[in-house]
Each structure stands twice: as C-alpha cells, then as structure tokens.
Amino acid sequence: MVIAAPATPLTLTLTEEHEMLLTAVRDLAAKEIMPIAEKFDDSGDFPMDTIKKMGAMGLMGIEVPDAYGGAGMDTLAYVLAMIEIAKADASHSTIMSVNNSLYCHGILKFGTEDQKHKYVTPIATGEKIGAYSLTEPMSGSDAATMASRAVLNTAGTHYIINGRKSWVTSGPVADLIVLFTMTSPEKGNKGISAFIIETDKSGFIRGKKEPKLGIRASATSELVFEDYACPVENMLGKEGDGFKIAMTVLDAGRIGIAAQALGIAEAAYEAALGYARERQAFGSPIGQFQMIQQKIADMKTRIEASRALIYNAVLAKEKSKIDGSRYTLEASIAKLFASETAAFVTDEALQIHGGMGYSKELPVERYYRDARITRIYEGTSEVQRMVIARNELGLR
C-alpha cells in the first residue's frame, strides 16, 4: 500500500509584505485616525478624507486581485490591518469591513468578469464606497420574511424594485450596493435574489440616518426603493441565489468583525494596563492589587484566545480558496468568542478606570460603546450559537 505524502500545511507566517503592511497601517492609524476619532464620534459625520487615504493604501480591497484594483493580499493581511484600524477607531474599521468582506468578496466570488471590473475596481481603490443591504424593518435574522420585491418587467430588460431596507452600513454615502430582495416570495429563502445597485439612479432614496450608541462615524441608514429599474445584467449570480450568496458573504464578514472586536479589546486592554501602572491608591499603583491583577489576567487570556480562533478562521478561509470548502463554523466561532471578549474586556477596562472610565475625557467609554455592536451585526451571538450547534449536529 502506498501512503501519499501529506499536503503542505497552511501556515500563519508573517511575510515581509505583511510586516510592511502592518507598519504602514499603524503609521496611518496613529497619525491620521486616532487624532480625529473622538471628533467624529461626537459629530457622527462620515470620515471621508481618511477613508480615501485608506483606499489609496489598498485597505478597501486587501484581498481583491491586482486586476480589479486591489492589493492582492491574503486573509491574514486583511485581519492584521482590521485589528490595527479598529484599535484606532472602530468606525473606520466598520467601513473597511463592509467594503472588503460584504461588498467586494461577494462580487468577486459570484460576479461576472464585467461586474468585477465595473463594480469592484472603484471600491477596491477607494474611489467609491460600497454597502451591503439584507436587513429590513421587519426582517433581520429571518431573511425569508423580507417584504421588498424585484419584478422582471415585460420587456425582460430590468427588474423593478420596491421596498424599504434598514440598518445599511455606509447607506448614507454608498455609491454602489449589493442588495438582497425577493424575486419569488412563494419560495421563501430560495426566492431571494441579489443585485448590484447604482445609487445615482432614479427610484433610489436614502432614508433616515440612525442615531447610534457606538461606531457613530460609520453612517447607517434606511434605503427606500420606489420603482427602481435595475438592469438584468446587474443581477449577482442567478435568480434565487441571493440567500446562498448572502450567507457565503457573511462567513467572510464574520472574520472581519471578529478582527474588529479583537482590535477594540486590545485598545481597551492597553488603556487599562497603562492606567493600572500609573494610578495610585493607598500608596501604590492599583496594578499591585490582586483584584486588578485578576482582571488583567482574564482580559489578556481572552484576547489571546480570540486571536487564536481568528487565525484558525483565517486558515480555514485560505484553505477554501484552494479546495472550495466552507469555513462557516470557524468564522462563527471566532466571531462569537471575539465579540464577547470585546464586551468583557471593555467592561473590565472601564471598571479599572473607575469614574474616569465613565468620562468622555478618556476613550475607554467609546471602546465600551463601540464593542456592543459586534455581538449584533453580521449575525447576533444567538445566531452564531445556532450556526455552531447546527454544524456540529449535522443539521441544516
């Protein structure tokens, strides 16, 4: 019997290119993003100037091939950059995540060559802003209940879209949107289709902007479609493929949100560590007290466990590029644990700071607010647990 040699395992070794990217991203974060984070959190304005600078660096299309205007790097590069941007400001990382994971990834995986060149390139280069629209006012985790409709016209040239979408990240400023809507409502999930929407066309209306608790500089709004005529060539995939596309894209998105959560947690942890060393109480730094040391130990342990789970998801996604395998389980585990770690770490960091942690004079309260959304968007913690359990039980 001949035993085949094992395949060369995928590794997480940082290349010179990764190191160069990290240096460049850290420099941008320190010089351009950190100084404005508080201002944009207060105002809720969209930080277009810094987003354009991120685009010029290739951060809006890290895994997008050179042929379509991207940086042509791997998932590890994307995760490393996401963590650093999130440490500086979660809002910037949210915008970056949507462009990379939810918008570009879907079109690259399911789009035609014409769609990739026309609709990925301007997003990957940072020239335009992309968005992803699945949720509706009465349809969140249960996508099959969506009320929006796309009906093919009698000439067979356009789908006429009507309906209202909600909680669209970058909705107030997006130039292009991957939209999911019903083409055959009687088929449930199998009746959802995906379309690439140009927002400068008649029938597209931007609805109310959401006044959010956190990630306030990442603009979020409703979108309204009133007899919007979408060319048939702008359908992504085939009719009825929408739910499959949405879920596949969310696998990639969950890795990005896990990295964002880790970045927020690291920022809060570093702030707490510095404060514990400097703050004096009863004649010594508070870091000398065992209760504070326990908090530091628990925070650090959860951060490193999150990093390991994220890297495991990175390996699974890179493997999928080779053999087409799914990485749903690994992505959900990483997203669930990292988002709950962000909640734990930011809460403990605020507690270590005492009253000052509750003050807007320090960024800890912003980290605390920003962390909360990571347990909700791109699949709530409850949905992640359901996905993980169903995968383990072999249920669909």
mmCIF file of all heavy atoms in Angstrom, residues 99-146:
data_model
loop_
_atom_site.group_PDB
_atom_site.id
_atom_site.type_symbol
_atom_site.label_atom_id
_atom_site.label_comp_id
_atom_site.label_asym_id
_atom_site.label_seq_id
_atom_site.Cartn_x
_atom_site.Cartn_y
_atom_site.Cartn_z
ATOM 1 N N ASN A 99 -16.660 47.236 2.940
ATOM 2 C CA ASN A 99 -16.091 47.308 1.592
ATOM 3 C C ASN A 99 -15.392 46.009 1.203
ATOM 4 O O ASN A 99 -15.563 45.491 0.094
ATOM 5 C CB ASN A 99 -15.103 48.471 1.500
ATOM 6 C CG ASN A 99 -15.766 49.770 1.080
ATOM 7 O OD1 ASN A 99 -16.932 49.999 1.370
ATOM 8 N ND2 ASN A 99 -15.033 50.617 0.401
ATOM 9 N N ASN A 100 -14.594 45.469 2.129
ATOM 10 C CA ASN A 100 -13.806 44.272 1.834
ATOM 11 C C ASN A 100 -14.645 43.007 1.835
ATOM 12 O O ASN A 100 -14.703 42.283 0.838
ATOM 13 C CB ASN A 100 -12.676 44.123 2.862
ATOM 14 C CG ASN A 100 -11.472 44.976 2.561
ATOM 15 O OD1 ASN A 100 -10.579 44.580 1.814
ATOM 16 N ND2 ASN A 100 -11.420 46.160 3.147
ATOM 17 N N SER A 101 -15.283 42.728 2.969
ATOM 18 C CA SER A 101 -15.927 41.434 3.175
ATOM 19 C C SER A 101 -17.307 41.320 2.555
ATOM 20 O O SER A 101 -17.623 40.323 1.905
ATOM 21 C CB SER A 101 -16.041 41.147 4.680
ATOM 22 O OG SER A 101 -14.776 41.120 5.283
ATOM 23 N N LEU A 102 -18.139 42.303 2.784
ATOM 24 C CA LEU A 102 -19.532 42.191 2.357
ATOM 25 C C LEU A 102 -19.772 42.629 0.922
ATOM 26 O O LEU A 102 -20.633 42.071 0.243
ATOM 27 C CB LEU A 102 -20.427 43.001 3.298
ATOM 28 C CG LEU A 102 -20.403 42.590 4.772
ATOM 29 C CD1 LEU A 102 -21.464 43.347 5.554
ATOM 30 C CD2 LEU A 102 -20.607 41.086 4.928
ATOM 31 N N TYR A 103 -19.023 43.616 0.473
ATOM 32 C CA TYR A 103 -19.242 44.098 -0.894
ATOM 33 C C TYR A 103 -18.310 43.403 -1.892
ATOM 34 O O TYR A 103 -18.757 42.639 -2.743
ATOM 35 C CB TYR A 103 -19.077 45.620 -0.961
ATOM 36 C CG TYR A 103 -19.330 46.151 -2.352
ATOM 37 C CD1 TYR A 103 -20.611 46.505 -2.751
ATOM 38 C CD2 TYR A 103 -18.302 46.269 -3.277
ATOM 39 C CE1 TYR A 103 -20.858 46.955 -4.046
ATOM 40 C CE2 TYR A 103 -18.536 46.712 -4.564
ATOM 41 C CZ TYR A 103 -19.807 47.051 -4.951
ATOM 42 O OH TYR A 103 -20.045 47.481 -6.230
ATOM 43 N N CYS A 104 -17.024 43.642 -1.787
ATOM 44 C CA CYS A 104 -16.081 43.120 -2.787
ATOM 45 C C CYS A 104 -16.069 41.588 -2.827
ATOM 46 O O CYS A 104 -16.063 40.986 -3.914
ATOM 47 C CB CYS A 104 -14.670 43.632 -2.519
ATOM 48 S SG CYS A 104 -14.437 45.392 -2.861
ATOM 49 N N HIS A 105 -16.071 40.950 -1.666
ATOM 50 C CA HIS A 105 -15.968 39.488 -1.626
ATOM 51 C C HIS A 105 -17.111 38.822 -2.386
ATOM 52 O O HIS A 105 -16.896 37.863 -3.129
ATOM 53 C CB HIS A 105 -15.955 39.015 -0.172
ATOM 54 C CG HIS A 105 -15.897 37.531 -0.022
ATOM 55 N ND1 HIS A 105 -14.762 36.804 -0.290
ATOM 56 C CD2 HIS A 105 -16.850 36.620 0.347
ATOM 57 C CE1 HIS A 105 -15.004 35.515 -0.081
ATOM 58 N NE2 HIS A 105 -16.264 35.385 0.300
ATOM 59 N N GLY A 106 -18.327 39.335 -2.205
ATOM 60 C CA GLY A 106 -19.478 38.740 -2.868
ATOM 61 C C GLY A 106 -19.410 38.833 -4.379
ATOM 62 O O GLY A 106 -19.721 37.874 -5.096
ATOM 63 N N ILE A 107 -19.013 39.981 -4.876
ATOM 64 C CA ILE A 107 -18.940 40.157 -6.332
ATOM 65 C C ILE A 107 -17.780 39.360 -6.915
ATOM 66 O O ILE A 107 -17.896 38.767 -8.002
ATOM 67 C CB ILE A 107 -18.835 41.653 -6.697
ATOM 68 C CG1 ILE A 107 -20.068 42.406 -6.185
ATOM 69 C CG2 ILE A 107 -18.708 41.832 -8.215
ATOM 70 C CD1 ILE A 107 -20.030 43.900 -6.418
ATOM 71 N N LEU A 108 -16.662 39.315 -6.198
ATOM 72 C CA LEU A 108 -15.529 38.517 -6.677
ATOM 73 C C LEU A 108 -15.880 37.038 -6.767
ATOM 74 O O LEU A 108 -15.471 36.341 -7.695
ATOM 75 C CB LEU A 108 -14.323 38.699 -5.760
ATOM 76 C CG LEU A 108 -13.585 40.025 -5.853
ATOM 77 C CD1 LEU A 108 -12.524 40.110 -4.765
ATOM 78 C CD2 LEU A 108 -12.941 40.204 -7.234
ATOM 79 N N LYS A 109 -16.671 36.544 -5.822
ATOM 80 C CA LYS A 109 -16.997 35.115 -5.775
ATOM 81 C C LYS A 109 -18.126 34.742 -6.727
ATOM 82 O O LYS A 109 -18.129 33.663 -7.320
ATOM 83 C CB LYS A 109 -17.353 34.702 -4.349
ATOM 84 C CG LYS A 109 -17.481 33.192 -4.168
ATOM 85 C CD LYS A 109 -17.554 32.812 -2.700
ATOM 86 C CE LYS A 109 -17.653 31.301 -2.520
ATOM 87 N NZ LYS A 109 -16.438 30.599 -2.992
ATOM 88 N N PHE A 110 -19.096 35.629 -6.894
ATOM 89 C CA PHE A 110 -20.294 35.275 -7.656
ATOM 90 C C PHE A 110 -20.514 36.119 -8.915
ATOM 91 O O PHE A 110 -21.407 35.814 -9.711
ATOM 92 C CB PHE A 110 -21.539 35.404 -6.769
ATOM 93 C CG PHE A 110 -21.543 34.453 -5.603
ATOM 94 C CD1 PHE A 110 -21.144 34.875 -4.341
ATOM 95 C CD2 PHE A 110 -21.924 33.134 -5.766
ATOM 96 C CE1 PHE A 110 -21.140 34.003 -3.260
ATOM 97 C CE2 PHE A 110 -21.929 32.245 -4.696
ATOM 98 C CZ PHE A 110 -21.532 32.684 -3.438
ATOM 99 N N GLY A 111 -19.722 37.171 -9.101
ATOM 100 C CA GLY A 111 -19.954 38.069 -10.215
ATOM 101 C C GLY A 111 -19.311 37.646 -11.519
ATOM 102 O O GLY A 111 -18.434 36.782 -11.558
ATOM 103 N N THR A 112 -19.758 38.273 -12.607
ATOM 104 C CA THR A 112 -19.155 38.063 -13.924
ATOM 105 C C THR A 112 -17.895 38.913 -14.033
ATOM 106 O O THR A 112 -17.651 39.802 -13.205
ATOM 107 C CB THR A 112 -20.136 38.469 -15.030
ATOM 108 O OG1 THR A 112 -20.375 39.895 -14.937
ATOM 109 C CG2 THR A 112 -21.469 37.725 -14.898
ATOM 110 N N GLU A 113 -17.112 38.667 -15.070
ATOM 111 C CA GLU A 113 -15.900 39.479 -15.277
ATOM 112 C C GLU A 113 -16.253 40.944 -15.465
ATOM 113 O O GLU A 113 -15.584 41.826 -14.938
ATOM 114 C CB GLU A 113 -15.114 38.954 -16.491
ATOM 115 C CG GLU A 113 -14.238 37.770 -16.189
ATOM 116 C CD GLU A 113 -13.181 38.074 -15.133
ATOM 117 O OE1 GLU A 113 -12.442 39.056 -15.289
ATOM 118 O OE2 GLU A 113 -13.125 37.338 -14.125
ATOM 119 N N ASP A 114 -17.311 41.207 -16.210
ATOM 120 C CA ASP A 114 -17.734 42.598 -16.418
ATOM 121 C C ASP A 114 -18.118 43.245 -15.089
ATOM 122 O O ASP A 114 -17.760 44.402 -14.827
ATOM 123 C CB ASP A 114 -18.925 42.652 -17.381
ATOM 124 C CG ASP A 114 -18.514 42.430 -18.830
ATOM 125 O OD1 ASP A 114 -17.296 42.505 -19.123
ATOM 126 O OD2 ASP A 114 -19.403 42.172 -19.663
ATOM 127 N N GLN A 115 -18.846 42.506 -14.249
ATOM 128 C CA GLN A 115 -19.244 43.046 -12.947
ATOM 129 C C GLN A 115 -18.041 43.319 -12.060
ATOM 130 O O GLN A 115 -17.982 44.337 -11.365
ATOM 131 C CB GLN A 115 -20.201 42.080 -12.256
ATOM 132 C CG GLN A 115 -21.583 42.031 -12.882
ATOM 133 C CD GLN A 115 -22.470 40.951 -12.272
ATOM 134 O OE1 GLN A 115 -21.980 40.008 -11.645
ATOM 135 N NE2 GLN A 115 -23.776 41.080 -12.451
ATOM 136 N N LYS A 116 -17.069 42.431 -12.089
ATOM 137 C CA LYS A 116 -15.875 42.618 -11.263
ATOM 138 C C LYS A 116 -15.113 43.877 -11.672
ATOM 139 O O LYS A 116 -14.711 44.686 -10.829
ATOM 140 C CB LYS A 116 -14.967 41.397 -11.369
ATOM 141 C CG LYS A 116 -15.551 40.132 -10.747
ATOM 142 C CD LYS A 116 -14.671 38.926 -11.035
ATOM 143 C CE LYS A 116 -15.333 37.635 -10.591
ATOM 144 N NZ LYS A 116 -14.536 36.443 -10.920
ATOM 145 N N HIS A 117 -14.909 44.039 -12.977
ATOM 146 C CA HIS A 117 -14.161 45.214 -13.445
ATOM 147 C C HIS A 117 -14.941 46.508 -13.201
ATOM 148 O O HIS A 117 -14.369 47.520 -12.785
ATOM 149 C CB HIS A 117 -13.839 45.075 -14.931
ATOM 150 C CG HIS A 117 -12.704 44.136 -15.221
ATOM 151 N ND1 HIS A 117 -11.399 44.447 -14.923
ATOM 152 C CD2 HIS A 117 -12.690 42.885 -15.754
ATOM 153 C CE1 HIS A 117 -10.615 43.441 -15.271
ATOM 154 N NE2 HIS A 117 -11.366 42.483 -15.776
ATOM 155 N N LYS A 118 -16.244 46.465 -13.435
ATOM 156 C CA LYS A 118 -17.055 47.681 -13.346
ATOM 157 C C LYS A 118 -17.376 48.076 -11.914
ATOM 158 O O LYS A 118 -17.382 49.268 -11.562
ATOM 159 C CB LYS A 118 -18.353 47.489 -14.126
ATOM 160 C CG LYS A 118 -19.227 48.737 -14.200
ATOM 161 C CD LYS A 118 -20.447 48.503 -15.089
ATOM 162 C CE LYS A 118 -21.314 49.763 -15.177
ATOM 163 N NZ LYS A 118 -22.507 49.544 -16.052
ATOM 164 N N TYR A 119 -17.618 47.075 -11.051
ATOM 165 C CA TYR A 119 -18.141 47.379 -9.725
ATOM 166 C C TYR A 119 -17.204 47.089 -8.554
ATOM 167 O O TYR A 119 -17.434 47.584 -7.452
ATOM 168 C CB TYR A 119 -19.467 46.643 -9.515
ATOM 169 C CG TYR A 119 -20.549 47.106 -10.457
ATOM 170 C CD1 TYR A 119 -21.130 46.237 -11.378
ATOM 171 C CD2 TYR A 119 -20.987 48.433 -10.440
ATOM 172 C CE1 TYR A 119 -22.124 46.661 -12.248
ATOM 173 C CE2 TYR A 119 -21.974 48.880 -11.306
ATOM 174 C CZ TYR A 119 -22.542 47.989 -12.210
ATOM 175 O OH TYR A 119 -23.519 48.437 -13.075
ATOM 176 N N VAL A 120 -16.163 46.315 -8.775
ATOM 177 C CA VAL A 120 -15.204 46.075 -7.699
ATOM 178 C C VAL A 120 -14.069 47.093 -7.734
ATOM 179 O O VAL A 120 -13.691 47.653 -6.694
ATOM 180 C CB VAL A 120 -14.624 44.638 -7.761
ATOM 181 C CG1 VAL A 120 -13.480 44.469 -6.763
ATOM 182 C CG2 VAL A 120 -15.721 43.621 -7.460
ATOM 183 N N THR A 121 -13.545 47.365 -8.911
ATOM 184 C CA THR A 121 -12.377 48.246 -9.036
ATOM 185 C C THR A 121 -12.546 49.604 -8.354
ATOM 186 O O THR A 121 -11.674 50.013 -7.568
ATOM 187 C CB THR A 121 -11.993 48.432 -10.510
ATOM 188 O OG1 THR A 121 -11.718 47.145 -11.078
ATOM 189 C CG2 THR A 121 -10.780 49.325 -10.654
ATOM 190 N N PRO A 122 -13.648 50.335 -8.594
ATOM 191 C CA PRO A 122 -13.755 51.655 -7.943
ATOM 192 C C PRO A 122 -13.898 51.587 -6.426
ATOM 193 O O PRO A 122 -13.555 52.533 -5.717
ATOM 194 C CB PRO A 122 -15.007 52.268 -8.585
ATOM 195 C CG PRO A 122 -15.790 51.110 -9.100
ATOM 196 C CD PRO A 122 -14.782 50.085 -9.507
ATOM 197 N N ILE A 123 -14.378 50.451 -5.906
ATOM 198 C CA ILE A 123 -14.493 50.283 -4.458
ATOM 199 C C ILE A 123 -13.141 49.907 -3.861
ATOM 200 O O ILE A 123 -12.710 50.441 -2.843
ATOM 201 C CB ILE A 123 -15.540 49.207 -4.116
ATOM 202 C CG1 ILE A 123 -16.915 49.585 -4.669
ATOM 203 C CG2 ILE A 123 -15.604 48.980 -2.609
ATOM 204 C CD1 ILE A 123 -17.484 50.854 -4.109
ATOM 205 N N ALA A 124 -12.455 48.969 -4.507
ATOM 206 C CA ALA A 124 -11.161 48.491 -4.001
ATOM 207 C C ALA A 124 -10.108 49.590 -3.982
ATOM 208 O O ALA A 124 -9.218 49.597 -3.124
ATOM 209 C CB ALA A 124 -10.673 47.318 -4.845
ATOM 210 N N THR A 125 -10.201 50.527 -4.909
ATOM 211 C CA THR A 125 -9.232 51.620 -4.969
ATOM 212 C C THR A 125 -9.597 52.776 -4.033
ATOM 213 O O THR A 125 -8.811 53.712 -3.860
ATOM 214 C CB THR A 125 -9.127 52.172 -6.399
ATOM 215 O OG1 THR A 125 -10.433 52.597 -6.832
ATOM 216 C CG2 THR A 125 -8.609 51.114 -7.359
ATOM 217 N N GLY A 126 -10.798 52.711 -3.455
ATOM 218 C CA GLY A 126 -11.229 53.770 -2.555
ATOM 219 C C GLY A 126 -11.881 54.931 -3.262
ATOM 220 O O GLY A 126 -12.267 55.919 -2.624
ATOM 221 N N GLU A 127 -12.050 54.808 -4.582
ATOM 222 C CA GLU A 127 -12.695 55.883 -5.346
ATOM 223 C C GLU A 127 -14.159 56.024 -4.942
ATOM 224 O O GLU A 127 -14.709 57.126 -4.871
ATOM 225 C CB GLU A 127 -12.590 55.580 -6.848
ATOM 226 C CG GLU A 127 -13.314 56.566 -7.743
ATOM 227 C CD GLU A 127 -13.385 56.093 -9.191
ATOM 228 O OE1 GLU A 127 -12.622 55.179 -9.575
ATOM 229 O OE2 GLU A 127 -14.219 56.638 -9.940
ATOM 230 N N LYS A 128 -14.817 54.889 -4.668
ATOM 231 C CA LYS A 128 -16.222 54.888 -4.285
ATOM 232 C C LYS A 128 -16.424 54.050 -3.026
ATOM 233 O O LYS A 128 -15.548 53.291 -2.614
ATOM 234 C CB LYS A 128 -17.088 54.343 -5.431
ATOM 235 C CG LYS A 128 -17.082 55.239 -6.671
ATOM 236 C CD LYS A 128 -18.017 54.712 -7.750
ATOM 237 C CE LYS A 128 -18.051 55.666 -8.942
ATOM 238 N NZ LYS A 128 -18.973 55.168 -10.012
ATOM 239 N N ILE A 129 -17.602 54.191 -2.426
ATOM 240 C CA ILE A 129 -17.951 53.474 -1.202
ATOM 241 C C ILE A 129 -19.000 52.410 -1.514
ATOM 242 O O ILE A 129 -19.973 52.673 -2.227
ATOM 243 C CB ILE A 129 -18.509 54.438 -0.132
ATOM 244 C CG1 ILE A 129 -17.485 55.536 0.195
ATOM 245 C CG2 ILE A 129 -18.913 53.671 1.124
ATOM 246 C CD1 ILE A 129 -16.228 55.045 0.836
ATOM 247 N N GLY A 130 -18.796 51.213 -0.968
ATOM 248 C CA GLY A 130 -19.742 50.118 -1.186
ATOM 249 C C GLY A 130 -20.557 49.833 0.063
ATOM 250 O O GLY A 130 -20.202 50.229 1.177
ATOM 251 N N ALA A 131 -21.671 49.114 -0.119
ATOM 252 C CA ALA A 131 -22.525 48.724 1.007
ATOM 253 C C ALA A 131 -23.188 47.384 0.697
ATOM 254 O O ALA A 131 -23.147 46.892 -0.443
ATOM 255 C CB ALA A 131 -23.577 49.792 1.287
ATOM 256 N N TYR A 132 -23.812 46.829 1.725
ATOM 257 C CA TYR A 132 -24.460 45.509 1.655
ATOM 258 C C TYR A 132 -25.801 45.661 2.335
ATOM 259 O O TYR A 132 -25.872 46.138 3.478
ATOM 260 C CB TYR A 132 -23.569 44.513 2.386
ATOM 261 C CG TYR A 132 -24.108 43.121 2.645
ATOM 262 C CD1 TYR A 132 -23.726 42.049 1.845
ATOM 263 C CD2 TYR A 132 -24.924 42.862 3.747
ATOM 264 C CE1 TYR A 132 -24.159 40.750 2.127
ATOM 265 C CE2 TYR A 132 -25.360 41.574 4.043
ATOM 266 C CZ TYR A 132 -24.978 40.528 3.219
ATOM 267 O OH TYR A 132 -25.393 39.252 3.510
ATOM 268 N N SER A 133 -26.882 45.277 1.667
ATOM 269 C CA SER A 133 -28.213 45.508 2.221
ATOM 270 C C SER A 133 -29.045 44.236 2.202
ATOM 271 O O SER A 133 -29.527 43.806 1.153
ATOM 272 C CB SER A 133 -28.922 46.616 1.424
ATOM 273 O OG SER A 133 -30.203 46.863 1.954
ATOM 274 N N LEU A 134 -29.233 43.658 3.393
ATOM 275 C CA LEU A 134 -30.050 42.458 3.571
ATOM 276 C C LEU A 134 -31.226 42.729 4.503
ATOM 277 O O LEU A 134 -32.355 42.352 4.218
ATOM 278 C CB LEU A 134 -29.178 41.328 4.140
ATOM 279 C CG LEU A 134 -29.862 40.000 4.469
ATOM 280 C CD1 LEU A 134 -30.389 39.329 3.199
ATOM 281 C CD2 LEU A 134 -28.900 39.069 5.201
ATOM 282 N N THR A 135 -30.968 43.406 5.611
ATOM 283 C CA THR A 135 -31.968 43.612 6.669
ATOM 284 C C THR A 135 -33.078 44.568 6.242
ATOM 285 O O THR A 135 -32.852 45.518 5.488
ATOM 286 C CB THR A 135 -31.276 44.160 7.929
ATOM 287 O OG1 THR A 135 -30.268 43.239 8.329
ATOM 288 C CG2 THR A 135 -32.256 44.366 9.062
ATOM 289 N N GLU A 136 -34.284 44.298 6.761
ATOM 290 C CA GLU A 136 -35.425 45.183 6.558
ATOM 291 C C GLU A 136 -36.050 45.505 7.909
ATOM 292 O O GLU A 136 -35.732 44.853 8.914
ATOM 293 C CB GLU A 136 -36.452 44.523 5.628
ATOM 294 C CG GLU A 136 -35.912 44.294 4.231
ATOM 295 C CD GLU A 136 -36.965 43.794 3.242
ATOM 296 O OE1 GLU A 136 -38.143 43.635 3.664
ATOM 297 O OE2 GLU A 136 -36.609 43.574 2.080
ATOM 298 N N PRO A 137 -36.943 46.504 7.975
ATOM 299 C CA PRO A 137 -37.528 46.873 9.264
ATOM 300 C C PRO A 137 -38.148 45.704 10.033
ATOM 301 O O PRO A 137 -38.063 45.640 11.251
ATOM 302 C CB PRO A 137 -38.593 47.909 8.874
ATOM 303 C CG PRO A 137 -38.046 48.547 7.633
ATOM 304 C CD PRO A 137 -37.354 47.439 6.896
ATOM 305 N N MET A 138 -38.759 44.762 9.324
ATOM 306 C CA MET A 138 -39.384 43.609 9.983
ATOM 307 C C MET A 138 -38.714 42.302 9.607
ATOM 308 O O MET A 138 -39.282 41.222 9.764
ATOM 309 C CB MET A 138 -40.880 43.553 9.617
ATOM 310 C CG MET A 138 -41.676 44.770 10.062
ATOM 311 S SD MET A 138 -41.580 45.075 11.853
ATOM 312 C CE MET A 138 -42.510 43.674 12.458
ATOM 313 N N SER A 139 -37.496 42.372 9.093
ATOM 314 C CA SER A 139 -36.781 41.170 8.657
ATOM 315 C C SER A 139 -35.309 41.318 8.980
ATOM 316 O O SER A 139 -34.587 42.042 8.303
ATOM 317 C CB SER A 139 -36.967 40.969 7.147
ATOM 318 O OG SER A 139 -36.102 39.970 6.656
ATOM 319 N N GLY A 140 -34.876 40.608 10.042
ATOM 320 C CA GLY A 140 -33.472 40.657 10.433
ATOM 321 C C GLY A 140 -32.831 39.303 10.230
ATOM 322 O O GLY A 140 -32.443 38.940 9.122
ATOM 323 N N SER A 141 -32.752 38.519 11.305
ATOM 324 C CA SER A 141 -32.152 37.192 11.213
ATOM 325 C C SER A 141 -32.958 36.266 10.305
ATOM 326 O O SER A 141 -32.404 35.349 9.690
ATOM 327 C CB SER A 141 -32.043 36.573 12.611
ATOM 328 O OG SER A 141 -31.216 37.353 13.443
ATOM 329 N N ASP A 142 -34.273 36.505 10.198
ATOM 330 C CA ASP A 142 -35.136 35.679 9.357
ATOM 331 C C ASP A 142 -35.324 36.358 8.009
ATOM 332 O O ASP A 142 -36.312 37.057 7.769
ATOM 333 C CB ASP A 142 -36.489 35.468 10.050
ATOM 334 C CG ASP A 142 -37.416 34.548 9.266
ATOM 335 O OD1 ASP A 142 -36.956 33.971 8.253
ATOM 336 O OD2 ASP A 142 -38.581 34.415 9.657
ATOM 337 N N ALA A 143 -34.378 36.132 7.106
ATOM 338 C CA ALA A 143 -34.378 36.827 5.814
ATOM 339 C C ALA A 143 -35.572 36.451 4.940
ATOM 340 O O ALA A 143 -35.981 37.226 4.069
ATOM 341 C CB ALA A 143 -33.082 36.535 5.075
ATOM 342 N N ALA A 144 -36.150 35.277 5.140
ATOM 343 C CA ALA A 144 -37.243 34.810 4.291
ATOM 344 C C ALA A 144 -38.506 35.651 4.430
ATOM 345 O O ALA A 144 -39.416 35.564 3.593
ATOM 346 C CB ALA A 144 -37.562 33.355 4.593
ATOM 347 N N THR A 145 -38.558 36.476 5.480
ATOM 348 C CA THR A 145 -39.757 37.291 5.688
ATOM 349 C C THR A 145 -39.634 38.680 5.063
ATOM 350 O O THR A 145 -40.508 39.523 5.284
ATOM 351 C CB THR A 145 -40.041 37.449 7.191
ATOM 352 O OG1 THR A 145 -38.932 38.121 7.818
ATOM 353 C CG2 THR A 145 -40.237 36.090 7.854
ATOM 354 N N MET A 146 -38.586 38.926 4.301
ATOM 355 C CA MET A 146 -38.410 40.268 3.739
ATOM 356 C C MET A 146 -39.583 40.643 2.827
ATOM 357 O O MET A 146 -40.144 39.796 2.117
ATOM 358 C CB MET A 146 -37.071 40.403 3.005
ATOM 359 C CG MET A 146 -36.891 39.570 1.771
ATOM 360 S SD MET A 146 -35.354 39.978 0.870
ATOM 361 C CE MET A 146 -34.077 39.636 2.076
#
